[in-house]
């Protein structure tokens, strides 16, 4: 799993669907779905619960463990941008 994968997990969680997350990330829905499946294979657990007949996704227990890591990574990126702006300002 890499930082782009964490960003993907955040986008899917926030959007609630693969289609909406794909639009947010400027990728196709099939490409996003393939990447998510690859990450899930890599970690050996599903990150999202998929429900038949609906496009809504919810986090699995493994996903709930990963989400705080993704949120911390996002916060660190924000802090680094602020430091850079302060340094340049």
């Amino acid at each position: 799993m890499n930082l782009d994968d964490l960003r993907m997990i955040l986008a899917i969680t926030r959007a609630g669907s693969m289609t909406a997350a794909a639009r947010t990330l400027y990728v196709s829905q099939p490409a996003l779905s393939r990447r998510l499946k690859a990450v899930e294979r890599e970690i050996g657990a599903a990150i999202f619960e998929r429900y038949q007949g609906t496009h809504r996704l919810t986090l699995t227990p493994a996903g709930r463990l990963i989400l705080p890591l993704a949120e911390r990574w996002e916060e660190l990126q924000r802090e680094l941008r602020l430091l850079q702006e302060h340094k340049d300002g």
Side-chain angles (χ1 to χ4, degrees), residues 3-80:
L3 297 177
D4 286 335
D5 297 333
L6 293 174
R7 186 171 12 138
M8 171 188 67
I9 292 165
L10 282 172
I12 296 169
T13 300
R14 290 172 179 162
S17 76
M18 295 293 283
T19 302
R23 279 194 300 268
T24 300
L25 296 170
Y26 302 102
V27 299
S28 71
Q29 186 275 326
L32 186 62
S33 183
R34 281 191 301 273
R35 185 64 203 144
L36 176 59
K37 286 178 186 175
V39 170
E40 289 176 326
R41 274 193 309 273
E42 179 184 331
I43 66 169
I47 298 170
F48 292 96
E49 192 75 42
R50 295 149 176 92
Y51 299 99
Q52 199 70 296
T54 179
H55 296 286
R56 301 294 300 170
L57 301 172
T58 59
L59 289 166
T60 63
R64 287 191 295 277
L65 290 174
I66 293 169
L67 185 61
L69 299 174
E71 290 170 335
R72 282 198 325 232
W73 167 78
E74 184 180 58
E75 182 58 31
L76 287 171
Q77 276 202 310
R78 258 193 296 268
E79 290 177 25
L80 287 170

